[in-house]
Amino acid sequence: MGQDSAAEARARRIWERDAPRYDGWMRRFDRYMLRDGRSWLCSRARGRVLEVAIGTGLNLPHYPKDTDLTGVDLSPAMLDRARARAADLGLRVPLVEASATRLPFPDASFDTVVCALGLCCIPDDRAAVAEMCRVLGAGGTLLLIDHVVSHRGTVRMAQRLLDPLTVACAGDHQLRRPLHLVRAAGLTVVRRERYGLGMIERLAAVKAAG
């Protein structure tokens, strides 16, 4: 098994283990840290939409009505909960088990790609951003929100201390910054906001037309 495959297998085991507790954790995180982040993200989705690392489907209630949405996640247990949530909401959403670094879709398949709190835990975040860009059509929008390394010195110091523990226990990286990967991939950032002591960043970026 290659290094990337081993890392993804470990990530899948973590999410299979944590799926039953995930929504409880996120209720607290959303209240105190993410705040309106999910609605900010999903309200901007247009056309054919792909959500990468859809998890248990916590974003589903926040999409505009009749959004043409497809979701992918690495964990079958997380997808089972997303399917149940979609059914409760009366939504028909194709949900696919897939790696964020090997999305099973042709180039330029979507008008919007969304990822919420996923790049902090995907083993190869650079490859995941590259895949999101690949399946995004010309002129399409990439929408991200994640916890990131803070620009505040004392907070960043605490994150550096926590990072080895959270990576070892949950595969959760405290020191990443997706903004840099998005810019390196050639997308144009059109909106960006940072809050929550500098630890939450949300952004919209556009792929060049043609």
Side-chain angles (χ1 to χ4, degrees):
M1 181 180 292
Q3 184 175 355
D4 291 345
S5 297
E8 285 197 351
R10 178 177 181 269
R12 183 183 290 107
R13 289 194 299 271
I14 288 170
W15 291 115
E16 293 289 284
R17 178 197 70 194
D18 291 345
R21 297 169 284 184
Y22 184 78
D23 286 2
W25 295 339
M26 284 298 103
R27 275 194 294 271
R28 294 185 289 273
F29 188 82
D30 285 9
R31 177 180 300 174
Y32 297 111
M33 294 296 293
L34 212 59
R35 292 178 282 192
D36 69 338
R38 295 186 190 278
S39 58
W40 186 95
L41 211 66
C42 298
S43 66
R44 288 164 169 76
R46 299 290 184 271
R48 300 160 299 166
V49 181
L50 174 67
E51 182 171 341
V52 177
I54 195 169
T56 64
L58 288 174
N59 286 333
L60 291 176
H62 300 282
Y63 283 103
K65 188 177 179 180
D66 299 325
T67 297
D68 181 7
L69 176 66
T70 299
V72 300
D73 200 272
L74 187 65
S75 163
M78 299 290 271
L79 287 172
D80 286 344
R81 285 161 174 78
R83 291 189 183 97
R85 177 166 276 117
D88 289 344
L89 294 168
L91 302 175
R92 299 183 66 181
V93 180
L95 295 170
V96 180
E97 182 185 339
S99 166
T101 61
R102 295 182 301 279
L103 295 172
F105 308 106
D107 295 355
S109 295
F110 298 95
D111 303 299
T112 307
V113 177
V114 175
C115 187
L117 301 175
L119 288 169
C120 55
C121 294
I122 293 169
D124 190 343
D125 55 338
R126 184 179 299 275
V129 169
E131 273 292 271
M132 293 178 205
C133 294
R134 180 186 67 79
V135 301
L136 190 63
T141 301
L142 176 64
L143 297 166
L144 302 179
I145 190 167
D146 223 315
H147 70 75
V148 301
V149 60
S150 178
H151 61 287
R152 298 191 178 190
T154 55
V155 178
R156 186 169 62 248
M157 185 180 300
Q159 289 177 299
R160 290 190 185 281
L161 292 173
L162 283 172
D163 188 64
L165 178 63
T166 59
V167 172
C169 294
D172 185 12
H173 295 259
Q174 305 298 313
L175 304 176
R176 288 180 172 178
R177 188 92 188 276
L179 172 68
H180 302 318
L181 301 180
V182 170
R183 286 175 169 164
L187 273 67
T188 300
V189 176
V190 295
R191 186 159 181 180
R192 175 172 65 90
E193 297 175 11
R194 206 165 173 176
Y195 60 98
L197 300 176
M199 292 189 293
I200 303 296
E201 188 165 47
R202 57 195 187 188
L203 64 86
V206 175
K207 186 174 182 178

